Amino acid sequence: MPRYKTVEQILALMKDRTRVRNIGIIAHVDHGKTTTSDQLLASAGIISPKVAGEALALDYLKVEQQRGITVKAANVSLYHEVDNKGYVINLIDTPGHVDFSGRVTRSLRVLDGSIVVVDSVEGVMTQTETVLRQSLEERVRPILFINKVDRLVKELKLGPQEMMQKLLGIIREVNNMIDMYAEPDFKERWKINPNAGNVVFGSAKDKWGFSVPMSQKKGIGMKDVIAAYTAPDKTKLNELAQQVPIDEALLDAVIRFVPDPVEAQKYRIPKIWKGDLDNELAKAMLSADMNGPVVMMITDMKVDPHAGLVATGRVFSGTVRPGQEVWLVNAKTPQRTLQVSLYMGQTRELAEEIPAGNIAAVLGLDKARSGETLLDVRFKDLQGSFERLHYVSEPVVTIA
Ligand code: GDP
């Protein structure tokens, strides 16, 4: 699979937008969110800049892996192919747990799809319910990853039939929640359906996973999983990871089931934009118009030892370029963008422009904080943002 792409090739995909997906991973604590994202990063997360040759690409890979150990990136872009078509999948970091500041909700705001990770033995837990509910409330489409399937064999010693029963029970529970929390328009369309392929069964730790369609196509099933874990050595388990790699299973499902930004923004903007929907700005966002006025939501501000403060976020309309004057809605101040870059794997590479529907990293916005909304400065009087300034709901104490 040609994983090594140039900045120009990735930018061409970003402009196509049918080839872009914006996703995050959400889970109850300990169900495997970190292990799952590490697997995606290790196996599919390397997009090499400026190099076409395999040898150069491998050198780059080494450098990137070394850097990856010290700098754990909040956002990564993955390259994956389905039916010989290439896609850019932006994996955006969501906080590990829900806190009182609504931070999970804030990062969900820039996603169109979520991978909900559930431990096969523990099943749906309280935080699974919380993060799934928040995802549905933001109109972020969930797909399901039932992780730690090895435990069903090694700890519970279940046979293939009993395993399927247990897994179907989890799917039923997730669907009950979708029934409870999704809005009427999305309830039926967004239910998890194993036969369609929007649930992956696997083990992030052992690097294998499959959906029902993938299992049929490759002729691998639960009997092979049981054989791998009851074998005297790891040969069969390693084979399983080769035959049905977890990154392929998850990224295939993401590409097939998570909507592209143009489709998603039609129904997401009315939900997440706190402002008038009838002006030029909102209309450009509703159609993810890359020629419209710039609107971007910042989800993350980080200090880069070489570059200074890096603002990362999603461009909802227009095209972000260096040297643009933008208005910071919360800070109530104009600022000028300096450098603009895109994530290539875990590192950033300079870009001349990042169009609507994508994730951009921008320098020069030192007055921004995460949660900030950037607008084309000409529209600063339109009064809209992705997050009201007093968004944080704090308990109100009244003294009688
Ligand atoms: P997080 O809290 O959701 O980020 O969970 P982690 O990814 O840190 O995983 C929690 C624990 O579960 C760690 O000890 C992992 O090694 C373990 N774990 C992750 N994936 C699997 C798996 O597929 N099978 C088993 N048995 N353990 C796993």
Side-chain angles (χ1 to χ4, degrees):
M1 195 194 293
R3 279 192 180 133
Y4 309 114
K5 296 285 151 192
T6 62
V7 172
E8 288 70 28
Q9 284 170 314
I10 294 302
L11 270 172
L13 289 178
M14 286 180 155
K15 279 188 186 162
D16 179 333
R17 273 103 47 86
T18 59
R19 305 294 188 83
V20 175
R21 302 291 183 272
N22 294 306
I23 62 154
I25 304 178
I26 55 178
H28 184 85
V29 61
D30 269 354
H31 281 199
K33 183 185 135 163
T34 312
T35 314
T36 304
S37 47
D38 284 352
Q39 291 306 344
L40 290 181
L41 247 106
S43 48
I46 311 299
I47 302 168
S48 165
K50 300 183 197 91
V51 285
E54 186 85 353
L56 275 174
L58 287 176
D59 280 348
Y60 179 77
L61 187 110
K62 246 190 261 160
V63 173
E64 179 152 331
Q65 280 174 343
Q66 279 162 4
R67 278 208 250 173
I69 294 164
T70 48
V71 186
K72 202 77 173 155
N75 302 280
V76 286
S77 291
L78 313 168
Y79 177 80
H80 188 65
E81 292 186 356
V82 166
D83 298 334
N84 294 319
K85 282 191 189 157
Y87 294 82
V88 180
I89 299 165
N90 298 308
L91 175 62
I92 295 134
D93 192 38
T94 53
H97 60 94
V98 187
D99 63 23
F100 293 113
S101 67
R103 274 173 61 224
V104 172
T105 310
R106 174 186 292 166
S107 48
L108 282 168
R109 204 145 287 180
V110 300
L111 316 178
D112 299 320
S114 56
I115 299 176
V116 182
V117 185
V118 177
D119 179 328
S120 69
V121 172
E122 290 199 353
V124 170
M125 300 289 280
T126 49
Q127 285 171 27
T128 317
E129 179 166 0
T130 308
V131 292
L132 179 59
R133 195 191 72 223
Q134 290 190 340
S135 182
L136 293 164
E137 283 173 357
E138 293 276 322
R139 296 189 183 162
V140 169
R141 182 174 183 166
I143 64 173
L144 179 62
F145 171 36
I146 306 186
N147 187 29
K148 308 198 191 184
V149 169
D150 56 295
R151 295 186 66 194
L152 298 180
V153 183
K154 289 190 298 196
E155 293 172 35
L156 304 192
K157 315 231 181 297
L158 303 184
Q161 284 302 324
E162 296 164 304
M163 280 170 83
M164 275 329 281
Q165 287 306 322
K166 177 90 182 153
L167 297 169
L168 287 172
I170 294 173
I171 294 168
R172 253 197 312 275
E173 257 194 279
V174 168
N175 276 336
N176 285 341
M177 280 173 195
I178 294 177
D179 217 27
M180 211 159 14
Y181 298 119
E183 294 163 90
D185 281 356
F186 301 94
K187 253 190 225 305
E188 292 313 316
R189 277 192 290 143
W190 282 9
K191 287 237 169 95
I192 303 298
N193 175 357
N195 293 329
N198 48 29
V199 45
V200 170
F201 310 96
S203 163
K205 186 161 67 84
D206 295 331
K207 307 180 177 35
W208 65 269
F210 54 75
S211 62
V212 171
M214 188 169 162
S215 131
Q216 285 163 347
K217 195 168 130 201
K218 302 212 178 187
I220 301 280
M222 285 306 169
K223 57 179 191 333
D224 301 292
V225 173
I226 294 172
Y229 286 110
T230 47
D233 61 32
K234 291 215 159 177
T235 316
K236 281 198 165 138
L237 188 55
N238 292 337
E239 276 171 18
L240 197 63
Q242 295 286 325
Q243 289 162 324
V244 285
I246 182 62
D247 57 307
E248 183 182 330
L250 287 173
L251 296 180
D252 275 11
V254 163
I255 288 165
R256 291 184 202 280
F257 292 95
V258 172
D260 68 52
V262 176
E263 194 191 331
Q265 284 184 213
K266 284 184 210 148
Y267 59 80
R268 296 206 59 239
I269 294 299
K271 189 75 188 178
I272 64 179
W273 180 246
K274 317 287 178 207
D276 197 350
L277 284 177
D278 215 20
N279 55 40
E280 192 185 335
L281 207 66
K283 283 184 185 151
M285 283 193 278
L286 285 165
S287 59
D289 181 1
M290 48 193 206
N291 300 313
V294 167
V295 187
M296 179 173 174
M297 180 182 171
I298 304 297
T299 47
D300 185 61
M301 294 293 295
K302 273 215 171 51
V303 180
D304 179 311
H306 306 293
L309 261 182
V310 184
T312 300
R314 171 159 173 174
V315 186
F316 281 93
S317 124
T319 296
V320 175
R321 298 187 174 91
Q324 270 167 335
E325 197 176 24
V326 289
W327 179 254
L328 275 51
V329 173
N330 289 353
K332 297 191 178 63
T333 179
Q335 274 207 301
R336 196 170 284 279
T337 58
L338 290 174
Q339 282 179 1
V340 171
S341 49
L342 53 83
Y343 284 92
M344 295 284 282
Q346 297 181 67
T347 54
R348 284 180 289 106
E349 291 297 325
L350 285 183
E352 279 169 21
E353 51 179 30
I354 306 282
N358 289 285
I359 303 298
V362 184
L363 300 188
L365 306 173
D366 58 318
K367 292 195 179 125
R369 296 290 169 267
S370 58
E372 180 63 276
T373 302
L374 306 187
L375 302 181
D376 181 323
V377 76
R378 292 170 298 159
F379 292 81
K380 75 182 178 68
D381 297 325
L382 278 185
Q383 301 288 328
S385 79
F386 288 101
E387 205 172 283
R388 292 206 191 283
L389 206 48
H390 301 293
Y391 173 75
V392 179
S393 57
E394 279 159 340
V396 179
V397 182
T398 46
I399 300 166

